[in-house]
Amino acid sequence: MDSHEPASEGEYCWGHDLSLLSQLRQQVICRDSQLNLLLSLLGERSHMTPASIFMYGHTATGKSYIMETMLTTLKLPSVWVNCIECYSARYLYEHVLNNLPSAQGDKPTAQITCDNMNDFIRLLKAQVEGCSLQNETLYIVLDRAERLRDMDANILPAFLRLQELTKLNICTILLSDILWEKFRFGTGFCEPFTIYLPDFSQDELKRIMLLDCPKDQSESLYMNYVSLFLSVFYYVCRDLRELRHMALLNFPKYVEPLEKKEVTEKDSGKLWRNIEPHLKKALHTVYLREVSSTQWEQMQKSHAEDENGVCVPSVPASRNHVELPYYSKYLLVAAYIASYNPVVSDKRFFCKKSGKISKRSKLMKKHERASNHLLGPKPFPLDRLLAIFYSIVEEKIAPSAIIFSQISSLVSLHLLGQTCSDSQIEMPRYKCLVSLDFIRSVARTIGFDVMKYLYDFM
């Protein structure tokens, strides 16, 4: 049920105020077919609706915005649930029961407590039947619905069947970034009515981003800027929120020659040459908040120094700073040492009674030592990594699952690489994938001088 013909206006608007529908269409743009389909499903307030509706699409495709705008504009009774905030079954039940529209405007009453599905169904039915909602459709919107899969196995099937269990006109609307097929597990599921929201096309993004045009600038100028901006960012980022943020952040640099009266609006070539290097620099910071928006604006105004001669912070050319857990930093340092030091040198570095290397040996091994970093990282077994880790860590810690999980996290972050196949679980081998500057900055945050433990720099 993913593809449906959009309903004509006469099929769904007869149950709603035409002025409200006109206002709704002005607020929700570039989603005409999905909006028409939703309105045709809702019908009049007293009509029975589908028991459940599932809306899915990538991030920033308008799922939450469409539902929130439609329910607010048409003044439909609803309860909005963020499944990230309601992370347990009890919080979920109590949030729905304590935020029913019937309670709005009433005097504050005692909070309803509920900790199981049977009580939730009973209390929900009593609350709805005791007010005017029994003659209207109640919409329960579950945003970030994929989090329900981590709760009790009966929660998701029960919410899909609330209409059947309560014998009331209740419609459950699930909003998610993932496919419905990934929700299916166990039994008792009632298939929802599925609506897919595709990514916005480039023309649709231009139309939406034009709404952000500053009041003191012409729409034609901002449209030209948006077209240039999307020519750089569109194939890298499709997130509407991120695109709008980056476009507004770089627009003052685009109009800077106009404010200085060096060019006119028609000189699109000169405007492009002025903004191109800044857009390419901003392209490296998409999704990454290496600097705040205020700092970025300061960088746009001055590349090196401000009027008082104070250096302005800039985005690092190579990202040598990363936030990692405490022991993950030690694991990464140990992995770098294991990747670039020969095995025979471990005893010299980490055993207290190992003999010191003579100057003559240093001269004889000079060429060999210098070639270790040129040859790149070498694979090492897991037991060697842990041996170096427990040697360099300051405090004594017992081996635990947390340490092994942090190694897996470093692999998933591409800071470590696993060189064996997944089937070879007896003795996995890894190699460190970060640069020397990177590991030095990480070691500096934990007060560890990694240069003293590298064979090449003895």
Side-chain angles (χ1 to χ4, degrees):
M1 297 165 50
D2 291 336
S3 59
H4 297 269
E5 291 293 333
S8 62
E9 185 174 346
E11 295 180 19
Y12 54 78
C13 72
W14 56 274
H16 301 288
D17 189 350
L18 290 178
S19 62
L20 294 179
L21 289 173
S22 177
Q23 179 183 349
L24 180 62
R25 288 195 181 87
Q26 291 176 1
Q27 293 177 312
V28 181
I29 61 176
C30 301
R31 288 295 185 219
D32 294 336
S33 60
Q34 290 81 10
L35 184 61
N36 291 347
L37 180 56
L38 277 171
L39 290 172
S40 66
L41 292 173
L42 302 187
E44 285 195 7
R45 292 175 176 265
S46 58
H47 282 185
M48 295 295 293
T49 59
S52 56
I53 299 174
F54 180 78
M55 292 181 60
Y56 71 101
H58 290 158
T59 304
T61 51
K63 303 179 294 295
S64 301
Y65 178 76
I66 290 175
M67 287 307 310
E68 187 175 4
T69 304
M70 184 174 65
L71 295 174
T72 303
T73 304
L74 300 181
K75 301 177 182 179
L76 300 175
S78 61
V79 179
W80 192 279
V81 181
N82 188 327
C83 295
I84 296 179
E85 298 176 357
C86 300
Y87 55 87
S88 70
R90 179 175 179 177
Y91 290 153
L92 178 62
Y93 300 147
E94 293 179 356
H95 180 85
V96 174
L97 294 173
N98 291 307
N99 290 275
L100 289 174
S102 59
Q104 295 179 357
D106 297 342
K107 295 181 179 180
T109 57
Q111 293 290 310
I112 301 174
T113 59
C114 178
D115 56 5
N116 61 75
M117 180 58 71
N118 290 333
D119 291 344
F120 173 72
I121 298 296
R122 176 178 55 81
L123 292 171
L124 179 63
K125 187 174 181 180
Q127 289 285 102
V128 175
E129 288 181 344
C131 62
S132 59
L133 286 181
Q134 57 185 342
N135 297 323
E136 298 183 27
T137 303
L138 172 65
Y139 298 94
I140 299 178
V141 184
L142 301 175
D143 198 6
R144 303 285 183 178
E146 61 272 7
R147 295 299 182 98
L148 297 177
R149 302 179 301 167
D150 301 328
M151 297 186 185
D152 298 338
N154 67 328
I155 289 182
L156 186 55
F159 269 93
L160 294 173
R161 293 178 176 272
L162 278 181
Q163 192 175 103
E164 176 185 346
L165 296 173
T166 61
K167 306 297 182 183
L168 299 172
N169 191 5
I170 298 178
C171 178
T172 303
I173 301 175
L174 289 81
L175 309 180
S176 179
D177 295 341
I178 65 177
L179 299 171
W180 170 248
E181 284 72 15
K182 296 186 178 181
F183 281 78
R184 292 195 182 101
F185 63 92
T187 58
F189 274 80
C190 176
E191 292 292 323
F193 192 100
T194 305
I195 300 177
Y196 172 61
L197 274 70
D199 290 337
F200 291 106
S201 66
Q202 193 165 352
D203 292 336
E204 290 173 338
L205 288 174
K206 292 179 184 178
R207 184 180 171 189
I208 297 173
M209 294 173 68
L210 186 60
L211 300 175
D212 299 328
C213 177
K215 295 181 180 180
D216 57 342
Q217 301 292 343
S218 64
E219 291 189 357
S220 60
L221 173 67
Y222 195 78
M223 177 58 75
N224 291 334
Y225 165 70
V226 169
S227 300
L228 295 174
F229 177 85
L230 289 178
S231 66
V232 176
F233 279 81
Y234 181 70
Y235 295 102
V236 176
C237 174
R238 303 291 175 90
D239 191 321
L240 178 60
R241 288 190 293 264
E242 186 72 13
L243 290 173
R244 294 175 78 170
H245 172 74
M246 296 301 295
L248 288 174
L249 205 58
N250 289 276
F251 183 67
K253 191 64 181 179
Y254 180 75
V255 297
E256 185 178 293
L258 293 174
E259 295 176 349
K260 294 179 179 179
K261 297 183 179 181
E262 297 176 353
V263 297
T264 62
E265 291 187 14
K266 296 181 180 180
D267 297 329
S268 57
K270 294 181 179 179
L271 291 172
W272 165 249
R273 285 191 293 272
N274 176 65
I275 193 63
E276 181 185 12
H278 300 280
L279 290 183
K280 290 184 177 179
K281 185 185 298 183
L283 189 65
H284 296 289
T285 65
V286 174
Y287 299 116
L288 300 175
R289 295 295 178 256
E290 295 176 326
V291 294
S292 65
S293 299
T294 304
Q295 289 175 319
W296 181 262
E297 292 174 356
Q298 292 175 354
M299 291 161 51
Q300 299 288 58
K301 294 178 182 178
S302 176
H303 297 287
E305 295 183 351
D306 60 9
E307 296 178 354
N308 299 324
V310 180
C311 292
V312 178
S314 61
V315 179
S318 59
R319 299 183 181 92
N320 293 329
H321 175 71
V322 64
E323 293 296 334
L324 291 173
Y326 181 71
Y327 290 121
S328 293
K329 295 179 181 180
Y330 275 103
L331 285 168
L332 191 59
V333 171
Y336 190 88
I337 294 173
S339 291
Y340 289 97
N341 282 6
V343 179
V344 295
S345 67
D346 289 349
K347 184 178 179 181
R348 181 180 305 139
F349 284 117
F350 305 109
C351 292
K352 295 182 179 179
K353 296 183 180 181
S354 61
K356 295 183 178 180
I357 186 171
S358 63
K359 293 183 178 180
R360 183 177 179 182
S361 299
K362 288 184 179 180
L363 294 174
M364 292 176 61
K365 301 278 187 177
K366 183 178 180 180
H367 178 72
E368 178 185 352
R369 290 199 307 271
S371 65
N372 286 330
H373 275 71
L374 297 178
L375 295 175
K378 297 180 177 60
F380 54 86
L382 177 62
D383 55 356
R384 186 181 175 214
L385 169 64
L386 294 176
I388 297 177
F389 168 73
Y390 289 117
S391 298
I392 65 176
V393 72
E394 296 178 351
E395 55 197 42
K396 294 183 179 180
I397 57 173
S400 63
I402 298 177
I403 299 299
F404 292 99
S405 65
Q406 291 187 20
I407 295 176
S408 300
S409 299
L410 292 174
V411 174
S412 63
L413 292 172
H414 300 289
L415 301 178
L416 293 184
Q418 190 169 353
T419 59
C420 66
S421 62
D422 295 336
S423 59
Q424 298 174 341
I425 60 176
E426 295 182 357
M427 185 58 67
R429 298 177 66 84
Y430 303 91
K431 62 180 179 179
C432 191
L433 304 179
V434 302
S435 64
L436 178 60
D437 291 337
F438 188 98
I439 204 64
R440 290 182 67 181
S441 65
V442 171
R444 197 176 299 117
T445 62
I446 56 177
F448 182 81
D449 189 1
V450 68
M451 302 301 290
K452 292 183 178 180
Y453 292 85
L454 292 177
Y455 188 75
D456 285 355
F457 303 98
M458 288 177 55

